[in-house]
Amino acid sequence: MKKTLTHVVPIRWDDRKSEIVWLDNAQIPWKETYISSRDLDRLIKAIKGLEIRGAPILGEAGAYGTAMIANNSSNSAETILKDVMRLGSRLADARPTAVNLSWGVHRIQDSVRRAVENGEKPVNIKELAISEAKKVQEENVSATHKIGEQGKRLIHDGDVLVTVCNAGTLACDGLGTSTAPMRAAWADGIRFRVLVTYTAPLYQGARLTAWELNKDGIPVNVITDNMAGHLMREEKATAVWAGADRILGNKGAESGTVYNKIGTYGLALMADSLRREGTGVNMYVAAPTSTIDPRSTVQDVKIEQRKPKEVEYLFNGVRIVPEGVGVLNPAFDRTPPNLVSAIVTELGIAKQPYNASIPALLAKEGSMVKL
Amino acid sequence: MKKTLTHVVPIRWDDRKSEIVWLDNAQIPWKETYISSRDLDRLIKAIKGLEIRGAPILGEAGAYGTAMIANNSSNSAETILKDVMRLGSRLADARPTAVNLSWGVHRIQDSVRRAVENGEKPVNIKELAISEAKKVQEENVSATHKIGEQGKRLIHDGDVLVTVCNAGTLACDGLGTSTAPMRAAWADGIRFRVLVTYTAPLYQGARLTAWELNKDGIPVNVITDNMAGHLMREEKATAVWAGADRILGNKGAESGTVYNKIGTYGLALMADSLRREGTGVNMYVAAPTSTIDPRSTVQDVKIEQRKPKEVEYLFNGVRIVPEGVGVLNPAFDRTPPNLVSAIVTELGIAKQPYNASIPALLAKEGSMVKL
């Protein structure tokens, strides 16, 4: 694996102990606890309990978990395949809506099936499963490094950057996505500061992104969400960096629309208003091409509304909303393409007009999605 | 006192018991507890412990507290004056930086001194002190009603309004300031909804403003601060309503600059960007003319930085910022006049250009501040 430029390894395979080792995300930032296990039930508990979270990381957990099932199995090729199929399904169901988890499971199931069909010896089948799981992780990590290399030229000495939520190593492995250009630039000696927004109601900015970047020695300040506008002006912010959950990428006018954690659109609006006053705040989005959805339109994409309780009670804490008062809790928001200065992917940087630049990216070799 | 259109009376004098009755703000929204006392130490404890808070309300507490000192005193005019001066100073010192508190104390001290100099009987001196304190409250309440009458014409059926922090009855008595036009419009049968922003790190929006408006039957939804941009677009917000801690009001280009709770400027930026896209979100500020500062410039006004602990720990709750990570905690922000659609005062509505409209307001009879 390439040098990560980060001190956090959220999940890995321990060759010596033949176990999966993961960083317990539920304890961040309070405790940095690595848990090691070869027990499938323990792994499932970790996934259900959000010790392991973030779409790309769940893909890796699915892959390593299925390789672990193979490794724990007997010395019969048939039994290995049977275990991998049956127990792999249990693992994939740990979070039924997490597409990446079952994707990771299926990838190793396919690898084992091929090895069995090829008449490989049990010991080799197990080794192949483990090496395929490592490959899943390497691909993830590699994409983040490429995003870092592409995006780092947008970061300059003295910059003040603003982030939202966590699209870092904890969610995406490697350098993260929105954090990758920062880490790559930092490794090149570029010096800048980051303002990390709370990101209520789950505070992933404060808890996770600040923790990660601080570990890497990048200067961070946590700010509450409502401080962003004021501090973007007062601290002379140069850019907002966000990840993305989905980017529309067809050839229509909606191409370049970014769906991301709630708050992203607000930052884009503030950056826009500041930019028109000549303050020069860019709005950058970093994500792998696998995030690009070339088929959907704004009409198709529904914004998930989460449980009122998250807003009614402060994270693990007191009730802050009066009894009888309703709340709204959209988990994501939609930023229109005209507010997005650039979209950084592992294959290059797309700029406006996105209905030309995104299809051009997707046409490149190595694109994870095709138009 | 005029009909308040609100169900909350944050402080009052109980004629029958000769005691001050206040709503314990520290327990809002969890419990609605009215505390009644004629004990000065208890009142000071209430002020120190934020049971009584908000600049205008502290002015009333200073006045009522000093009247209570007079009322508790002996039947000698000289002793009354001595007590009012000596114990009044103790009361004024309960929160040394709260100008309004000592202003309220001084106003009753002056009234008692005049009454003693005029040779009034002790029983009359006490009555005069109490009626002067009631007058302080009436003036406050009356200003909020006038702000309501002035501002209500900016609110229309079907509007969706966004607020920040608490500039309501709990802080300002009567109809509040930013809430006054809402209440006056609601009393006229205008029907609208309010999105109340959390207002981290002390959550006055969620805890106080939502509680107040909900009691008055005005439909409110609490939203986290980072939802504002998304929901302003999705819910078709028509205006942001904010209070003000200070408004610059000289004849220069900075006239109309608004200092208010952190988050106000961000809402103004978002409203600006949305407005330019034709969404029509206005940025309204409501405050009495006493808030206008005709002498200072932007250069003169320092933004208060509060303790890191408020940001590091969620309100009364868990630590959310990793150890070793710095935070920023500006309590207020500055909104430039070009982003402010209108400033509503008890004497009328000022619009751009503010260096003409604000001096015109201050020239009116009844202005609490003169240029």
Side-chain angles (χ1 to χ4, degrees):
Chain A
M1 208 180 301
K2 281 176 72 176
K3 179 165 164 267
T4 61
L5 304 173
T6 174
H7 299 92
V8 181
V9 178
I11 193 166
R12 67 182 174 86
W13 179 257
D14 183 328
D15 281 311
R16 198 176 49 78
K17 295 164 78 179
S18 294
E19 292 188 343
I20 303 174
V21 184
W22 66 88
L23 175 59
D24 181 356
N25 267 248
Q27 294 191 54
I28 302 295
W30 304 288
K31 265 189 172 173
E32 186 175 347
T33 307
Y34 288 88
I35 294 168
S36 177
S37 178
R38 66 169 73 195
D39 178 18
L40 180 63
D41 287 328
R42 182 67 189 86
L43 178 65
I44 289 173
K45 187 180 161 229
I47 292 169
K48 284 182 189 285
L50 303 182
E51 294 174 31
I52 300 171
R53 53 158 280 287
I57 297 290
L58 283 172
E60 298 175 16
Y64 279 131
T66 311
M68 183 180 76
I69 292 167
N71 199 61
N72 289 347
S73 188
S74 76
N75 255 334
S76 134
E78 262 180 35
T79 310
I80 294 174
L81 181 58
K82 222 177 74 185
D83 281 355
V84 154
M85 296 311 292
R86 189 175 52 90
L87 299 175
S89 290
R90 270 194 56 211
L91 174 57
D93 289 346
R95 282 187 71 188
T97 55
V99 183
N100 298 58
L101 177 62
S102 54
W103 175 88
V105 170
H106 293 150
R107 181 146 156 187
I108 306 306
Q109 286 175 331
D110 290 348
S111 153
V112 168
R113 189 186 296 108
R114 273 196 311 276
V116 172
E117 286 167 3
N118 290 344
E120 297 281 358
K121 285 190 290 185
V123 61
N124 289 345
I125 294 169
K126 294 178 181 187
E127 264 174 28
L128 281 166
I130 291 164
S131 85
E132 183 72 8
K134 285 181 180 171
K135 214 177 137 203
V136 166
Q137 180 165 35
E138 270 164 31
E139 288 166 7
N140 267 354
V141 170
S142 168
T144 71
H145 280 268
K146 287 175 186 161
I147 290 170
E149 288 307 303
Q150 293 288 349
K152 71 182 184 186
R153 49 194 156 117
L154 300 175
I155 299 177
H156 309 283
D157 266 318
D159 273 3
V160 175
L161 312 177
V162 179
T163 67
V164 53
C165 198
N166 178 256
T169 304
L170 289 168
C172 312
D173 211 334
L175 305 186
T177 56
S178 66
T179 53
M182 298 177 198
R183 285 172 163 136
W186 191 263
D188 282 358
I190 308 294
R191 292 296 171 257
F192 53 88
R193 294 167 52 217
V194 185
L195 304 180
V196 176
T197 56
Y198 255 24
T199 320
L202 298 181
Y203 302 92
Q204 297 98 329
R207 290 191 297 120
L208 308 179
T209 305
W211 182 85
E212 279 190 24
L213 294 178
N214 184 55
K215 267 187 101 67
D216 285 356
I218 298 174
V220 290
N221 280 119
V222 170
I223 65 173
T224 66
D225 297 311
N226 48 336
M227 290 175 192
H230 173 70
L231 292 173
M232 279 161 84
R233 182 186 63 197
E234 295 298 307
E235 306 282 321
K236 298 184 176 50
T238 45
V240 175
W241 279 92
D245 291 88
R246 191 196 296 231
I247 298 170
L248 301 191
N250 56 39
K251 288 181 173 166
E254 293 175 350
S255 200
T257 299
V258 173
Y259 292 86
N260 191 44
K261 180 63 57 185
I262 190 76
T264 306
Y265 176 53
L267 293 172
L269 285 172
M270 292 188 269
D272 175 59
S273 182
L274 284 164
R275 208 181 304 129
R276 296 197 205 208
E277 287 186 25
T279 314
V281 183
N282 286 300
M283 179 74 203
Y284 295 136
V285 173
T289 50
S290 55
T291 310
I292 297 173
D293 174 352
R295 262 156 284 279
S296 301
T297 64
V298 167
Q299 194 64 29
D300 301 329
V301 183
K302 294 281 162 279
I303 302 269
E304 178 192 352
Q305 302 290 320
R306 291 175 58 87
K307 290 181 188 164
K309 214 181 152 182
E310 286 179 356
V311 175
E312 290 164 356
Y313 293 80
L314 293 180
F315 190 80
N316 287 349
V318 296
R319 184 179 179 102
I320 208 76
V321 174
E323 296 279 352
V325 170
V327 303
L328 300 174
N329 192 11
F332 303 100
D333 61 24
R334 167 173 60 86
T335 301
N338 64 305
L339 298 187
V340 180
S341 312
I343 296 172
V344 179
T345 74
E346 79 281 10
L347 296 181
I349 299 176
K351 296 202 171 185
Q352 295 179 25
Y354 293 107
N355 54 2
S357 62
I358 293 181
L361 272 187
L362 298 187
K364 285 193 179 184
E365 201 186 311
S367 171
M368 297 188 246
V369 161
K370 289 294 174 191
L371 190 60
Chain B
M1 206 180 300
K2 278 177 75 177
K3 179 166 164 267
T4 60
L5 303 173
T6 173
H7 299 93
V8 181
V9 178
I11 192 166
R12 67 183 174 86
W13 179 259
D14 183 328
D15 281 311
R16 199 175 48 79
K17 296 164 76 179
S18 294
E19 292 188 344
I20 303 174
V21 184
W22 66 87
L23 176 59
D24 181 356
N25 267 248
Q27 295 191 53
I28 302 293
W30 305 287
K31 262 188 173 174
E32 186 175 347
T33 307
Y34 288 89
I35 295 169
S36 178
S37 178
R38 66 170 72 196
D39 178 18
L40 180 63
D41 286 329
R42 181 67 189 84
L43 179 65
I44 289 173
K45 187 182 160 228
I47 291 169
K48 283 183 190 285
L50 303 183
E51 294 174 31
I52 299 172
R53 53 159 279 287
I57 298 289
L58 283 171
E60 298 176 15
Y64 279 131
T66 311
M68 183 181 75
I69 292 167
N71 198 61
N72 288 348
S73 187
S74 77
N75 254 334
S76 131
E78 262 181 34
T79 312
I80 295 174
L81 181 58
K82 223 178 72 185
D83 281 355
V84 154
M85 296 311 292
R86 188 175 54 87
L87 300 175
S89 290
R90 271 194 56 211
L91 174 57
D93 288 346
R95 283 186 70 187
T97 55
V99 183
N100 297 60
L101 177 62
S102 55
W103 175 87
V105 169
H106 294 151
R107 180 145 157 189
I108 306 306
Q109 286 175 330
D110 290 348
S111 153
V112 168
R113 190 186 295 107
R114 274 197 311 277
V116 171
E117 286 167 2
N118 291 343
E120 297 281 359
K121 286 189 290 184
V123 60
N124 289 344
I125 296 169
K126 295 178 180 187
E127 264 175 28
L128 281 165
I130 292 165
S131 84
E132 184 73 6
K134 286 181 181 172
K135 213 177 137 202
V136 167
Q137 180 164 34
E138 270 164 31
E139 287 165 9
N140 267 353
V141 170
S142 168
T144 70
H145 280 267
K146 286 174 186 160
I147 290 171
E149 289 306 304
Q150 293 288 348
K152 71 181 184 186
R153 50 195 156 115
L154 300 175
I155 299 178
H156 309 283
D157 267 317
D159 274 3
V160 175
L161 312 177
V162 179
T163 67
V164 54
C165 198
N166 179 255
T169 304
L170 290 168
C172 312
D173 211 334
L175 305 186
T177 56
S178 67
T179 52
M182 297 178 200
R183 283 171 164 138
W186 191 263
D188 282 358
I190 308 294
R191 291 297 171 258
F192 53 88
R193 294 167 52 216
V194 184
L195 303 180
V196 176
T197 56
Y198 255 23
T199 320
L202 298 181
Y203 302 91
Q204 297 98 329
R207 289 191 297 119
L208 308 179
T209 305
W211 181 85
E212 281 190 23
L213 294 179
N214 184 54
K215 267 186 101 66
D216 285 356
I218 297 174
V220 291
N221 280 119
V222 170
I223 64 173
T224 66
D225 297 313
N226 48 336
M227 292 176 192
H230 173 69
L231 292 173
M232 279 160 84
R233 181 187 63 197
E234 295 298 308
E235 306 281 320
K236 300 183 174 52
T238 45
V240 174
W241 278 92
D245 290 88
R246 193 194 295 230
I247 298 170
L248 301 190
N250 56 39
K251 287 180 173 167
E254 293 175 349
S255 200
T257 299
V258 173
Y259 293 86
N260 191 45
K261 179 63 56 184
I262 191 76
T264 306
Y265 176 53
L267 293 173
L269 285 171
M270 292 188 269
D272 175 58
S273 182
L274 284 165
R275 208 181 305 128
R276 297 195 205 207
E277 287 188 25
T279 314
V281 183
N282 285 300
M283 179 73 201
Y284 294 136
V285 172
T289 51
S290 54
T291 310
I292 297 173
D293 175 351
R295 263 157 284 280
S296 300
T297 64
V298 167
Q299 193 65 26
D300 301 328
V301 183
K302 294 281 162 280
I303 301 270
E304 178 191 353
Q305 302 290 322
R306 292 174 58 86
K307 291 181 187 162
K309 215 182 151 182
E310 286 179 355
V311 175
E312 290 164 358
Y313 293 80
L314 293 181
F315 189 81
N316 287 347
V318 296
R319 183 180 178 101
I320 207 76
V321 174
E323 296 279 351
V325 171
V327 304
L328 301 174
N329 191 12
F332 303 100
D333 61 23
R334 168 173 59 85
T335 301
N338 64 305
L339 298 187
V340 179
S341 312
I343 296 172
V344 179
T345 75
E346 78 282 10
L347 296 180
I349 299 177
K351 296 202 171 183
Q352 295 180 26
Y354 293 107
N355 54 1
S357 62
I358 292 181
L361 272 187
L362 297 186
K364 284 194 180 184
E365 201 186 310
S367 171
M368 296 189 248
V369 160
K370 289 293 174 192
L371 191 61

